Amino acid sequence: MLWICCLSILASTAFARHPEPEPSYAKWGNMAVQETMKRYGFPIIDYLHVGRTYISARKAEEKFKLWLRKPDGKEFGVYVTIRFDPVTDRVETIGFEETNR
């Protein structure tokens, strides 16, 4: 009986879910969501991290695509590009580009 209890504990710890580490773009994703909400005020229904581009040693961009829904039910996408200094994390610009796709 004891071995069944020990086996049960081992199995539960072996398959326990460990929290995933936060992705490197999480800070920028939160900023993209907050700034999009400020600018548009519509619910965000989907989110995609497009990727990071290094422009130079002191300049990088994180790009996200957010999908929003207007009060009339119509949906549209917004590409949000955050340009920043990857050494200091100082934001230079935040750009928005609307799309229907």
Side-chain angles (χ1 to χ4, degrees), residues 26-82:
K27 168 184 177 175
W28 307 111
N30 288 332
M31 184 179 293
V33 167
Q34 289 173 359
E35 294 299 318
T36 301
M37 287 297 296
K38 274 196 253 181
R39 184 177 178 109
Y40 293 95
F42 301 136
I44 297 170
I45 58 173
D46 204 0
Y47 164 100
L48 172 69
H49 175 242
V50 176
R52 178 179 287 194
T53 303
Y54 286 95
I55 299 164
S56 70
R58 299 295 301 254
K59 201 172 282 194
E61 289 181 344
E62 288 285 2
K63 190 168 188 173
F64 301 88
K65 183 177 183 185
L66 283 66
W67 205 251
L68 289 72
R69 182 175 292 134
K70 294 180 181 181
D72 64 4
K74 293 183 180 174
E75 298 176 357
F76 66 102
V78 176
Y79 284 102
V80 182
T81 303
I82 302 173

